[in-house]
């Protein structure tokens, strides 16, 4: 290392720099391969286990010897899995559509008009994320009970009618929407409803699509509300169904892994097809 | 300039008279557009928040038929005397501390280390490390339960093969909390890495090149240029982890340990759940909800103040 001192700064021989760079990329790859394995192996192991027959469930070979669908058959018959998957699907679609609709309306109001209390309402919307679900769970539970909606799908949809995240994202997108376009539409005599649905919304397709992906995924994965509000398996979601394979007497690993695979399949499919959009929409979101 | 009437501008062009009814509609229009969203927040968040506050002064067991009794501040003083509460608070703190290396430091190191990888392999790594983020939390819990099983989980089988005793990842009170923290962090690595990589990639390359020509070593560049410029993003991540980290672990706690063994994995969010739906003591649950909400709010304010003060921007 002392030799370095004899070179003027910045004049390190090219070859040396290259080998150093090569080493660094090598270490970079090694690190990334390790982290990638750490991230993906558990999911891989879930699928492999789900394809094993009962006799070889404890096998440690990294491949399934033969694809055995017995675990899937069992999981589908032991709990109303199909029903739960359909329920989860209905809820996720409904919540996605509702949040986007309420978000578009609110976003337009905030970005287009000046009105009394606008800053206050905006602040109140943004601050909702400061309220943890666990803090409001008992009053919410009581409200659902008063409405007679315990153990219904509606109870899982209603509290997610609107989200601060969707609203804030759409406000941002609409504020950066070029005003000239809107003014031009106004000159043509378009009313606000027309401008919103025929000019602004079609132009924000990208933002709305990534928002939809995100809301769908997070609703599909939702665990806390269903745990609180649903009772019977027929009116519950797939995330709750998984727990039925973990009992006090022991866990049925094969069926549990099969059910887990089914519960994550739609998400994994979306991810396989729209990987870049999914990542991009999560990045925009800051998580919630 | 501004005083001059501009007759050609859209709104002014046709000053047709509007009826009072139309005028009223125009004034109410923003509120009509906002109504669905605001109603949702009032019904499901703000009103319940007030109700939780009110319930925190009552004694009640959640049964509609049994009476509510006003007990004043008793719930609060009882909670503060409860060792379980302090244990949960301590655990919450350790969850947050334990999450920082996984959700901030490791991703930071990865982001800095891998900035020069060829785009093709970088995209592949990106896609892979992001998978845990999108997986349902219950699935993540189930899968880790299987991997960590003391008898037949592959990780403990590996330990045994190496000649070690199997580890009770979820049954040993000294370890269980860190296991849950690890799973919570595992889900976040990919996300945090991407956020930091994006911030790192947006640093002006000429700054780096200039300091390199001035003889700065790689480490000096990281310390004096990259880290300061990444600081807003780092603080944002720390903020998110500090505010939401303990909440994210709820599903793992519920599926994997139910707060045990010996309360070692119970954090404050899980304690609320236990009070409310385990022992049906609405008053206690609501009182700890109020304590949590106030504490959470103070923490958030402190962190935002810190963020405003210490971040350093490129412009």
């Amino acid at each position: 290392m002392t030799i370095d001192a004899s070179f003027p700064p910045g004049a390190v021989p090219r070859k040396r720099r290259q080998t150093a760079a090569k080493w660094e990329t090598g270490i970079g790859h090694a690190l990334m391969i390790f982290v990638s394995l750490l991230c993906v192996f558990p999911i891989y192991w879930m699928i492999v286990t789900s394809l094993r027959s009962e006799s070889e469930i404890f096998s440690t070979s990294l491949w399934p010897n033969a694809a055995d669908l017995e675990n899937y058959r069992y999981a589908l018959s032991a709990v109303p899995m199909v029903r739960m998957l359909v329920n989860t699907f209905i809820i996720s679609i409904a919540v996605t559509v509702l949040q986007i609709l309420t978000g578009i309306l609110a976003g337009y109001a905030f970005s287009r008009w000046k009105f009394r209390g606008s800053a206050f309402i905006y602040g109140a919307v943004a601050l909702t994320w400061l309220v943890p679900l666990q803090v409001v769970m008992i009053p919410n539970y009581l409200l659902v009970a008063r409405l007679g909606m315990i153990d219904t799908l509606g109870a899982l949809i209603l509290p997610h009618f609107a989200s601060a995240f969707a609203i804030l994202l759409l406000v941002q997108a609409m504020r950066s929407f070029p005003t000239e376009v809107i003014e031009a539409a106004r000159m043509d005599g378009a009313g606000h409803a027309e401008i919103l649905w025929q000019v602004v919304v079609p132009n924000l397709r990208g933002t709305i699509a990534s928002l939809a992906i995100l809301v769908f995924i997070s609703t599909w994965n939702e665990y806390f509300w269903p745990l609180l509000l649903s009772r019977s398996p027929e009116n519950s979601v797939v995330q709750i169904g998984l727990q039925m394979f973990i009992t006090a007497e022991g866990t049925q690993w094969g069926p549990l892994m099969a059910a887990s695979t089914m519960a994550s399949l739609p998400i994994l499919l979306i991810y396989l097809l729209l990987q870049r959009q999914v990542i991009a929409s999560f990045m925009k979101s800051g998580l919630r | 300039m501004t005083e001059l009437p501009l007759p050609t501008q859209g709104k002014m062009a046709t000053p047709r008279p509007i009826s009072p009814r139309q005028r009223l509609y125009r004034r109410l229009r923003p509120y009509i557009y906002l109504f669905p969203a605001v109603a949702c927040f009032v019904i499901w968040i703000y009103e319940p928040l007030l109700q939780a506050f009110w319930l925190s002064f009552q004694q009640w067991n959640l049964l509609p038929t049994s009476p509510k009794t006003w007990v004043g501040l008793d719930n609060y003083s009882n909670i503060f005397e409860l060792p379980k509460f302090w244990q949960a608070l301590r655990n919450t703190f350790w969850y947050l501390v334990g999450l920082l290396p996984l959700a901030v430091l490791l991703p930071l190191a990865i982001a800095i280390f891998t900035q020069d990888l060829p785009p093709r392999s970088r995209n592949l790594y990106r896609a892979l490390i992001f998978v845990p983020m999108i997986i349902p939390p219950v699935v993540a819990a189930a899968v880790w339960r299987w991997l960590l099983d003391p008898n037949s989980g592959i990780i403990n089988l590996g330990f045994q093969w190496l000649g070690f005793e199997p580890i009770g990842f979820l049954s040993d009170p000294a370890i269980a909390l860190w296991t849950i923290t690890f799973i919570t962090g595992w889900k976040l690595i990919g996300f945090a890495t991407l956020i930091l990589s994006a911030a790192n990639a947006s640093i002006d390359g000429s700054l780096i090149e200039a300091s390199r020509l001035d003889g700065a070593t790689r480490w000096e560049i990281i310390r004096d240029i990259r880290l300061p410029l990444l600081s807003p993003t780092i603080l944002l991540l720390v903020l998110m982890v500090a505010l939401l980290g303990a909440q994210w672990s709820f599903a793992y706690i519920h599926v994997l340990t139910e707060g045990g063994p010996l309360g070692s994995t119970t954090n404050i969010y899980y304690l609320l759940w236990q009070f409310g739906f385990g022992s049906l003591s609405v008053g206690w649950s609501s009182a700890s909800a109020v304590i949590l909400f106030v504490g959470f709010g103070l923490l958030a304010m402190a962190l935002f103040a810190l963020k405003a003060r210490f971040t350093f921007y490129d412009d």
Side-chain angles (χ1 to χ4, degrees), chain B residues 291-313:
Chain B
I291 297 170
L292 171 66
F293 178 67
V294 171
F296 191 78
L298 290 177
L299 181 69
M301 282 196 313
L303 286 169
F304 276 117
L306 203 72
K307 186 172 181 317
R309 196 151 161 210
F310 283 106
T311 44
F312 180 84
Y313 291 98

Side-chain angles (χ1 to χ4, degrees), chain A residues 58-60, chain B residues 149-162:
Chain A
F58 297 127
S59 147
T60 49
Chain B
D149 188 76
N151 302 314
S152 40
I154 190 160
I155 293 177
N156 268 322
L157 289 179
F159 276 131
Q160 274 169 310
W161 185 75
L162 290 171

Side-chain angles (χ1 to χ4, degrees), chain B residues 94-159:
Chain B
W94 288 120
Y95 273 112
L96 302 184
V97 172
L99 267 177
L100 291 177
L102 268 176
V104 181
L105 283 186
L106 177 67
L108 184 63
I110 300 175
I112 289 178
F113 227 118
T114 58
Q115 60 198 334
D116 300 325
L117 290 184
R120 224 159 148 214
S121 47
R122 204 174 43 208
N123 280 339
L124 178 67
Y125 293 137
R126 245 173 186 238
L128 292 176
I129 60 172
F130 203 72
V131 170
M133 179 73 202
I134 56 157
I135 285 293
V138 185
V139 169
V143 169
W144 279 103
R145 192 185 170 97
W146 169 224
L147 289 166
L148 298 172
D149 188 76
N151 302 314
S152 40
I154 190 160
I155 293 177
N156 268 322
L157 289 179
F159 276 131

Side-chain angles (χ1 to χ4, degrees), chain B residues 5 35 61 77-78 96 99 108 113 119 124 130 155 186 197 219 257 261 265 269 291 302 307:
Chain B
F35 180 76
N61 63 1
S77 56
N78 285 338
L96 302 184
L99 267 177
L108 184 63
F113 227 118
L124 178 67
F130 203 72
I155 293 177
W186 172 77
S197 296
W219 168 241
T257 63
T265 57
Y269 298 94
I291 297 170
K307 186 172 181 317

Side-chain angles (χ1 to χ4, degrees), chain B residues 151-264:
Chain B
N151 302 314
S152 40
I154 190 160
I155 293 177
N156 268 322
L157 289 179
F159 276 131
Q160 274 169 310
W161 185 75
L162 290 171
F164 295 106
E165 290 286 300
I167 296 171
F169 286 104
L170 296 165
S171 53
D172 185 336
I175 299 176
L177 180 125
W178 303 113
T179 308
I180 304 249
T181 308
F182 169 79
I183 298 171
T184 315
W186 172 77
K187 270 207 113 205
L188 292 172
I189 295 176
F191 176 74
T193 306
L194 289 191
I195 294 250
L196 287 165
S197 296
N200 198 18
S202 70
I203 292 175
D204 188 355
S206 57
L207 273 176
I208 310 275
E209 206 39 54
S211 52
R212 191 172 286 153
L213 288 176
D214 285 345
T217 62
R218 194 181 152 81
W219 168 241
E220 280 168 345
I221 291 174
I222 291 175
R223 190 191 58 195
D224 298 335
I225 299 176
R226 290 199 185 276
L227 287 182
L229 288 176
L230 285 176
S231 66
T233 316
I234 297 172
L235 267 164
L236 181 78
L237 278 175
V238 173
L239 195 82
M240 265 170 33
V241 167
L243 291 179
L244 304 172
Q247 270 186 75
W248 290 326
S249 54
F250 181 88
Y252 314 118
I253 300 175
H254 193 69
V255 176
L256 295 173
T257 63
E258 299 197 335
L262 304 173
S264 62

